[in-house]
């Protein structure tokens, strides 16, 4: 009988409130090594709030289990926990300006995470940054240019390189193709596919578009009004949606 490996990320009964209202309620999730998990749902369903909790960017109001690589992540003030977040994860946002310094070069932006993790030799950091950028298809001739001169699609690819330069175990992506034109979106998705083919990095991708989830995700969670209402292997969800929200998302894709 096939046995699943131990999850690298696990959260149980997570809830989150903001402004006096419930944002998330009783959310349970497991992420396995090298898995690509998509979180889908309509605007306001709680997708990004859940992602931000999983990535350690905000704390849940309540939660019974929260583990990363077996480490209890509920000890939020522990410096060991904080370092584990930085070392084991990377994060890609909708807007590259949230994580990149647009006045710095692409290479310097990518290398910055290495300095944050304690690497002190600038030459080594910049070389690793260049290697990661080139592996993801960024043109070597433009790595010294400031990010502000790049298109939206290029900025997103720089974000991935910066999030991946330290070889994290988990990459979090929050609507990374939002606002990109169809050509830039296709190039970005090619980059994600390359990351997946390289193996070793699990991903959690938030999107409202099941077509994107279908391209790269192994498994899909569907959210509605702060609850996880459906969970299935991607192909199963596409062909046999049960929950009304899942059905509506599949119909919108057709």
């Amino acid at each position: 009988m096939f046995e699943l490996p131990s999850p690298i990320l696990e959260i149980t009964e997570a809830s989150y409130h903001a402004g006096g209202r419930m944002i998330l309620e009783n959310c349970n999730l497991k992420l396995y090594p090298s898995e690509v998990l998509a979180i889908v749902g309509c605007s306001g369903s709680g997708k990004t709030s859940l992602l931000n909790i999983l990535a350690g960017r905000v704390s849940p109001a309540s939660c019974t289990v929260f583990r990363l690589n077996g480490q209890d992540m509920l000890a939020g003030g522990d410096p060991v926990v904080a370092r584990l977040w930085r070392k084991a994860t990377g994060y890609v946002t909708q807007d590259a300006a949230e994580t990149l310094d647009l006045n710095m070069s692409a290479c310097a932006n990518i290398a910055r995470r290495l300095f944050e993790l304690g690497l002190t030799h600038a030459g080594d950091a910049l070389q690793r940054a260049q290697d990661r950028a080139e592996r993801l298809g960024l043109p070597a001739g433009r790595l010294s240019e400031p990010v502000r001169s790049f298109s939206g699609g290029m900025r997103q690819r720089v974000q991935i390189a910066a999030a991946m330069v330290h070889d994290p175990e988990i990459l979090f992506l929050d609507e990374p193709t939002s606002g990109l034109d169809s050509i830039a979106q296709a190039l970005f998705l090619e980059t994600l596919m390359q990351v997946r083919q390289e193996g070793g990095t699990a991903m959690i991708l938030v999107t409202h578009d099941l077509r994107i989830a279908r391209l790269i995700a192994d498994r899909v969670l569907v959210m509605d009004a702060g609850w996880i209402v459906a969970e299935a292997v991607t192909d199963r969800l596409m062909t046999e949606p049960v929950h009304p929200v899942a059905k509506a998302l599949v119909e919108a894709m057709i």
Side-chain angles (χ1 to χ4, degrees):
M1 182 178 178
F2 176 75
E3 291 187 10
L4 287 171
S6 297
I8 56 172
L9 181 64
E10 179 179 8
I11 196 165
T12 303
E13 297 180 348
S15 298
Y16 178 63
H17 304 87
R21 66 187 186 92
M22 183 273 288
I23 306 297
L24 299 172
E25 193 67 37
N26 197 35
C27 291
N28 302 290
L29 178 150
K30 292 181 180 180
L31 178 72
Y32 296 94
S34 302
E35 180 185 29
V36 180
L37 175 66
I39 303 176
V40 303
C42 300
S43 178
S45 61
K47 305 184 300 296
T48 294
S49 294
L50 178 56
L51 189 76
N52 283 333
I53 286 174
L54 295 170
R57 293 162 70 93
V58 298
S59 299
S62 61
C63 183
T64 57
V65 173
F66 194 4
R67 296 193 188 98
L68 173 61
N69 280 336
Q71 171 76 43
D72 180 8
M73 305 308 286
L74 295 176
D78 189 334
V80 174
V81 168
R83 180 170 175 79
L84 181 57
W85 280 125
R86 292 195 301 270
K87 185 176 180 181
T89 69
Y91 197 99
V92 176
T93 67
Q94 298 181 45
D95 182 0
E98 293 183 26
T99 63
L100 303 178
D101 184 334
L102 302 187
N103 293 314
M104 288 172 57
S105 72
C107 199
N109 268 290
I110 298 167
R112 187 166 54 173
R113 173 56 69 91
L114 298 174
F115 294 125
E116 292 171 353
L117 288 172
L119 187 64
T120 58
H121 192 284
D124 289 346
L126 291 172
Q127 184 60 56
R128 285 179 61 179
Q130 182 174 332
D131 291 346
R132 170 57 72 177
E134 292 180 1
R135 281 165 62 190
L136 294 178
L138 289 164
R142 300 200 62 187
L143 293 179
S144 61
E145 296 180 20
V147 174
R148 67 172 181 272
S149 67
F150 291 178
S151 67
M154 279 280 286
R155 291 180 184 186
Q156 290 298 71
R157 291 161 72 191
V158 172
Q159 260 209 102
I160 286 196
M164 293 287 297
V165 69
H166 59 301
D167 297 318
E169 293 178 77
I170 305 172
L171 181 62
F172 299 100
L173 303 112
D174 182 18
E175 296 274 13
T177 59
S178 178
L180 300 183
D181 62 38
S182 57
I183 294 175
Q185 186 176 104
L187 289 171
F188 184 80
L189 290 173
E190 281 184 14
T191 302
L192 281 189
M193 293 293 288
Q194 181 180 341
V195 170
R196 175 173 181 169
Q197 288 167 4
E198 287 181 0
T201 301
M203 290 188 271
I204 299 183
L205 167 70
V206 162
T207 181
H208 63 276
D209 190 342
L210 269 179
R211 290 170 295 187
I212 293 173
R214 188 173 197 173
L215 281 173
I216 64 171
D218 301 298
R219 192 161 49 95
V220 177
L221 300 183
V222 180
M223 295 196 67
D224 181 49
W227 295 81
I228 296 173
V229 297
E231 175 183 354
V233 173
T234 305
D235 287 343
R236 174 69 63 85
L237 185 84
M238 301 297 178
T239 57
E240 302 175 26
V242 176
H243 192 276
V245 173
K247 288 182 178 179
L249 290 170
V250 171
E251 289 170 359
M253 182 187 72
I254 299 173

